[in-house]
Amino acid sequence: MSPDPTDDSPVDDDRTTDPDAVDGDPDELYDEIDRKRTLRGWTVVAVAIVGILFSIFQMWLAARGFTFEVTLPWIGTYRIASLQNLQVRAIHVTFALVLAFLMYPGSDGEGPLARLLDPIPRAARSRLGDHPLTRAVEGLRSTVRWFFVDEDSDRVTPADLVLILLTLLPTIYYFRHFDEVRNVVRIRGLRGAAPLGDLYPALEPIAVGPLATWPVAYLMGILAILLVLEATRRSLGVLLMGLVSTFILYGRYGYLIPRDAPGIGILSTSELRWDQIVQNLWYTVEGILGTPVSVSVRFIYIFILFGAFLEMSGAGKWFIDLAYSLTGTRKGGPAKASVVSSGFMGMLSGSSVANTVTTGALTIPLMKRSGYSSEFAGAVESSVSSGGQILPPVMGAAAFLIVEFTGTPFRDVIIAATLPALMFFFGMWVMVHFEAAKHGIGGLDRSELLDLGPHMKRGWFYLVPLGLLLYYIVVARLSIGRAGWLTILATVSLIAVVAAYDERTGPYVVGAIAALFTATAASLYLFGVSPIGLIMGAGAVELDPMAALREALSSLVFVLIAVGVAMLLIRPGGEAPLLELDDTVNDAAGFVDDRLDREFATTRAGLFASFFFKSLDNGARTATVVVVAVAAAGIIPGIIGVTGLAGSLRSLILTVSGGSLVLLLILAGISSIIVGMGMPTTVMYIVIIVLLGPTLDTFGIAVLATHLFVLYLGLMADVTPPVGVAAFAAAGIAKSEPIQTCVQAFLLSLNKILVPFAFIFAPGILLIRDWDAEAGDLTLAGWSDVADLGFFVPEVLIPVVAVFVGVYGLAISIIGYYRTYVSRLARVGFGVSAVLLSVPGMLLMPAGTALGLAGIDVTLFTPTIDLGVRGVGGAIFAALMIRNIRRAAREDEGTPTTEEVPA
């Protein structure tokens, strides 16, 4: 991933190295960072089948709920199963565990245990020579390595298959014996559940040792927890597995902490048995199958799947090309295009690293070619990629956790998060502009870019799913899962029509859509049911004309799919001039045709099918690590709940912070960055909000502001040394020095620190008008509040404008350029003005506390003083701007200046 430190070749600081060369394939780079196997042969098919089934299961849940039934014409409805909440969550986790054991290797033979055992055969041969015992030891070593070790990360081992079989057992128990879970385990605990011999009399002969005495429910709970820990180790690393394991051990042995021990005595707990801990973690909604997994089942997965459908449809490349068409010719255009396109793709992917690698493979070489240094190009890409998770309307997986933890409607979350996100991306835009001006970097030649008009004509339909998503959430106010499901349907219907459309079939496609839609509307108006309903024997009902029209419009996506698929079946060959699917779809289609030795998947009908199934597969692969992460992270609140640790933590945190909100915010920010290093954003968010969220709420902060604050600061971990996984991934593509790239990315991301502190002290930036910190309720400002000048001007307008100006000043301070070079002292001044403009409360509250300690009882953090401090910051900013404008004018005139100019 990083350059060899022993290599004495240049690092491309002079911008003369070929910028278009990328070290290795970006997908391979991502797999290396993401620890995934390189799948081949039957394992590709196995993962695809499991992934497709996982996605179909989740789509059914989004469309029809927990009841699985099939309606057959003239026969009736046949119910397959009606699942309970815990059963659905268990299936969700089981799918993810199976995929994790298929996609992530358990050992590469280089771990501490392997290093400990490897010398034994060598020692045996050294001492005994070619002895039968030596050969036996070597044969045993080879067998063990064959069973457990995947040296090249390209082979599913027998141990993986055993783990997959074991993964099915806890969920099978949930299905076969849910009555025992509901009626015995919940009431009498795991000790009251039946052992193996009682539950399965046929297995009585093997019921020896623990199998004879321990309840099956207890064994299945232990197995489920261990499997989650192992999947966490594989897919997310030892750090998270170690953290979760520490909490489990704390739940069992925390009572050993002396209650009178100074400092840590507050963490002492009551003694718990293992069966109590296992029951809480697997058989309740407080542990592994708790709120985080519930959010994944209902919200996260369906939106990851929506992102996969949109990406596989070719929208990703189209939006990147659109960004370059709009901004590529401007000063520093490639970097500005990176800000736009990477922000969009990061919003959909929800992964800083994945977005950095996928979009960075295109944007970083173009930035380098235009004149940006390798380090700066990598820093820009990683910074905006990590910022994609704060960009509405999707915001990655963490936004849905915020919805669940705060009880805030998703519509309100995305509205509140819009202005802060724009502030961050505005700051990134300004910084890349100043860097371009600083080094005289222009844009790309128009001949190198796609023409905007033809480009929009070829792909305007990619905008429809996003527009529909906003309509469903903001205007129609549908549930999150329903909105995601309908948007996926819309995407599939559009691609079906696009795949079927060409000059010859176009009139037939349009005519068939019009005719079928008209027939549907007429049937709904006359009989109250669709034509399909009439065919299946549904009874007529009465609908008013508007209701019939609404029903007809809601069925339009099914009309589009029906017409598109029918046309593809009638004429599967031919060209589809508007169809530009993602390259991975075309590769998958080619893979199928190579195996079949005939042209099948690469026809336009086959490409549509490949798009559909590849989207299902890709969505499941992307979601796997998220599901494993939220399952593991759910253990932490589960342990906190069963031990009663929450109150003790609150007391400890308040003691450490001395009751100071500013200090507590700083501690929360540092904790978010540290916990977020090398961990998914979802895990960081869950850990920090569970540990610190309740304490922050006691200071009267709006609960939504607290949760967004944690999200913003946690995202800084992806670009913070020494871990900075997104920045290091970008360095691998840019061929830049990793630490320098990471430091540069951290500086470019400082807006993700400034902005959240700003909206904590001025919730009007989030458009929050009223809130109840104890109840967690809040009211967002609406259009009518704009006319209330007494509220809107001081609470919203002034803070928002001040933060935008502060972000601008911070950009000048970081880049060190505004029309001309900015001196070091002036850069400090711009930084100070940014703080005074954006977060005066950070200074006023500690100052008031200090005066109180000196015996002066005064409240400094008032609206009047807050406005005054912002005014001082604005004055400093204006004075420095004017000063640099005059310096630039004198330099243009050739008049020398005596001020310090950076080298």
Side-chain angles (χ1 to χ4, degrees), residues 525-819:
Y525 175 69
L526 295 173
F527 306 107
V529 293
S530 67
I532 300 295
L534 287 176
I535 294 173
M536 297 179 68
V541 297
E542 188 173 341
L543 289 178
D544 64 75
M546 290 306 299
L549 180 60
R550 285 194 299 269
E551 286 290 326
L553 289 173
S554 66
S555 65
L556 180 59
V557 291
F558 298 103
V559 171
L560 295 175
I561 292 174
V563 171
V565 171
M567 192 62 67
L568 289 172
L569 292 175
I570 294 170
R571 191 167 178 267
E575 297 293 327
L578 298 179
L579 190 66
E580 294 186 14
L581 300 173
D582 189 80
D583 290 341
T584 56
V585 176
N586 295 316
D587 293 342
F591 173 83
V592 171
D593 281 1
D594 288 343
R595 295 299 180 276
L596 298 177
D597 196 24
R598 56 173 292 192
E599 186 178 358
F600 174 73
T602 51
T603 64
R604 63 177 181 173
L607 282 174
F608 173 72
S610 299
F611 151 74
F612 182 75
F613 289 110
K614 184 61 181 175
S615 299
L616 296 177
D617 175 30
N618 195 65
R621 291 172 186 248
T622 303
T624 293
V625 69
V626 177
V627 178
V628 172
V630 295
I635 292 176
I636 296 175
I639 293 295
I640 290 176
V642 77
T643 58
L645 181 62
S648 301
L649 276 175
R650 180 177 174 275
S651 300
L652 180 62
I653 293 167
L654 287 173
T655 301
V656 171
S657 65
S660 167
L661 174 60
V662 173
L663 183 56
L664 181 58
L665 288 173
I666 293 173
L667 289 174
I670 294 173
S671 302
S672 300
I673 293 173
I674 293 174
V675 173
M677 288 184 177
M679 287 192 188
T681 307
T682 48
V683 175
M684 174 281 304
Y685 167 80
I686 292 169
V687 172
I688 296 301
I689 215 64
V690 167
L691 297 179
L692 300 180
T695 308
L696 285 167
D697 294 343
T698 61
F699 285 87
I701 303 172
V703 64
L704 181 57
T706 298
H707 288 247
L708 287 173
F709 176 86
V710 170
L711 174 61
Y712 269 68
L713 270 296
L715 287 172
M716 285 295 295
D718 291 334
V719 292
T720 299
V723 180
V725 288
F728 287 145
I733 297 174
K735 299 183 299 180
S736 60
E737 204 288 315
I739 292 296
Q740 290 184 21
T741 304
C742 197
V743 170
Q744 186 72 65
F746 177 82
L747 292 174
L748 294 178
S749 298
L750 284 178
N751 285 326
K752 287 205 287 284
I753 297 177
L754 184 70
V755 171
F757 274 97
F759 62 62
I760 284 288
F761 289 99
I765 294 172
L766 299 175
L767 300 180
I768 296 175
R769 171 149 196 172
D770 297 306
W771 70 92
D772 184 338
E774 293 185 3
D777 298 329
L778 59 84
T779 303
L780 294 186
W783 290 111
S784 61
D785 294 301
V786 177
D788 184 0
L789 299 182
F791 158 76
F792 186 76
V793 172
E795 299 292 336
V796 178
L797 184 60
I798 291 176
V800 167
V801 172
V803 175
F804 269 106
V805 177
V807 164
Y808 195 89
L810 183 62
I812 297 174
S813 176
I814 292 170
I815 302 300
Y817 189 89
Y818 178 73
R819 299 200 178 188

Side-chain angles (χ1 to χ4, degrees), residues 13-60:
D13 284 332
D14 58 359
R15 304 181 177 87
T16 58
T17 307
D18 177 18
D20 294 321
V22 177
D23 286 341
D25 180 62
D27 292 333
E28 293 180 2
L29 177 63
Y30 179 61
D31 288 343
E32 176 187 343
I33 297 171
D34 206 36
R35 304 181 178 91
K36 283 181 182 173
R37 283 188 171 106
T38 303
L39 299 173
R40 296 185 178 89
W42 69 269
T43 55
V44 176
V45 179
V47 170
I49 291 173
V50 176
I52 290 169
L53 290 175
F54 192 6
S55 293
I56 290 174
F57 173 73
Q58 289 298 138
M59 289 175 71
W60 183 280

Side-chain angles (χ1 to χ4, degrees), residues 295-371:
V295 175
S296 180
V297 170
R298 293 184 292 140
F299 307 146
I300 295 175
Y301 194 102
I302 202 69
F303 270 80
I304 289 176
L305 197 56
F306 163 62
F309 271 97
L310 202 58
E311 182 182 358
M312 293 301 104
S313 71
K317 187 177 185 306
W318 186 83
F319 275 104
I320 292 175
D321 290 339
L322 176 64
Y324 275 95
S325 295
L326 292 172
T327 65
T329 58
R330 297 171 178 266
K331 182 179 292 186
K336 292 175 179 176
S338 174
V339 171
V340 176
S341 59
S342 298
F344 170 79
M345 293 302 296
M347 171 187 68
L348 291 178
S349 71
S351 169
S352 304
V353 178
N355 186 40
T356 298
V357 172
T358 53
T359 61
L362 175 63
T363 60
I364 289 175
L366 286 174
M367 281 189 276
K368 290 173 63 178
R369 193 177 75 188
S370 65

Side-chain angles (χ1 to χ4, degrees), residues 437-495:
K438 183 178 181 180
H439 294 290
I441 299 171
L444 299 174
D445 190 86
R446 173 48 70 181
S447 62
E448 300 182 65
L449 302 172
L450 296 173
D451 290 333
L452 183 59
H455 185 65
M456 288 295 296
K457 186 177 179 181
R458 281 195 304 271
W460 61 268
F461 49 85
Y462 289 126
L463 298 170
V464 173
L466 289 177
L468 282 175
L469 179 63
L470 285 172
Y471 169 78
Y472 290 141
I473 292 174
V474 178
V475 180
R477 301 196 178 198
L478 299 181
S479 66
I480 302 173
R482 187 68 177 169
W485 158 246
L486 291 176
T487 311
I488 289 174
L489 279 182
T491 305
V492 173
S493 66
L494 286 170
I495 299 305

